[in-house]
Amino acid sequence: MALTEKQEVLVKESWEILQQNVPEYSIRFYQRIMEVAPEAKNLFSFLRDSDEIPQNNPNLQAHATKVFKLTCESVIQLRERGAVTIEDSTMKHLGSLHLKIGVTDRHFDVVRDALLRTIEGTVGEKWSKEMEGAWGTGYDQLAAAIQAAMKDGAAATAN
């Protein structure tokens, strides 16, 4: 699915805002995930042994940054190439990791919503249906690629 130049610009602008305070936005992101799916806490090694989302956790911040950045890059790739292209070894690793820890399709939906709501809360009045559509499409394509890698990994394990 091709995205417009304007959608790419909107995503890049919002990514610049997110980068200004990743620690704060990563906490918001994980709080939203835990509000909707408290059981997902056990999927994250850096949250498993805590009763609440730890402030200033470098692992949490690093993971949130990866999610935000990969989604942003996915939008840019959709604009430039018409598809999300991630190095095969990286995709296999992501698929294997998500499969190993028990991520389900529902978890991808929860993360999608948390991502969009976090960005919406971060950019405030700059939020628009077009920005939401661009981030959502980028995330959907990235999630589909990870899910495909998970299925390939499960099939390889079954054989």
Side-chain angles (χ1 to χ4, degrees):
M1 169 179 219
L3 296 177
T4 67
E5 185 177 343
K6 182 179 179 187
Q7 286 175 307
E8 180 183 6
V9 168
L10 290 170
V11 167
K12 286 180 177 179
E13 287 175 355
S14 52
W15 172 234
E16 291 298 319
I17 295 168
L18 284 165
Q19 286 181 300
Q20 292 174 15
N21 196 346
V22 170
E24 178 184 335
Y25 306 133
S26 60
I27 296 294
R28 287 185 197 172
F29 177 60
Y30 285 101
Q31 285 173 333
R32 290 181 193 279
I33 291 171
M34 296 310 126
E35 287 169 8
V36 176
E39 74 284 357
K41 181 179 179 185
N42 292 324
L43 299 174
F44 303 101
S45 60
F46 47 84
L47 294 177
R48 221 175 272 142
D49 298 325
S50 175
D51 290 336
E52 51 189 58
I53 307 228
Q55 303 289 323
N56 301 318
N57 180 314
N59 293 325
L60 179 142
Q61 293 166 17
H63 191 266
T65 300
K66 284 179 191 174
V67 172
F68 294 142
K69 186 177 180 194
L70 274 173
T71 304
C72 180
E73 289 172 355
S74 295
V75 169
I76 293 166
Q77 289 174 2
L78 286 170
R79 167 79 178 122
E80 293 174 353
R81 301 180 189 135
V84 173
T85 56
I86 297 177
E87 186 178 309
D88 194 42
S89 61
T90 300
M91 192 52 68
K92 284 181 182 177
H93 172 72
L94 287 171
S96 172
L97 180 63
H98 283 80
L99 183 64
K100 179 181 172 184
I101 63 173
V103 172
T104 66
D105 289 347
R106 178 178 182 273
H107 294 127
F108 282 98
D109 293 339
V110 169
V111 170
R112 181 189 198 278
D113 183 66
L115 176 79
L116 295 177
R117 299 297 66 86
T118 300
I119 296 166
E120 178 181 17
T122 301
V123 301
E125 292 180 9
K126 292 183 179 196
W127 185 252
S128 66
K129 286 290 181 190
E130 196 165 19
M131 184 183 286
E132 180 177 27
W135 276 101
T137 299
Y139 178 81
D140 291 345
Q141 295 296 313
L142 175 62
I146 294 171
Q147 289 168 313
M150 288 172 65
K151 288 176 184 158
D152 289 348
T157 303
N159 292 331

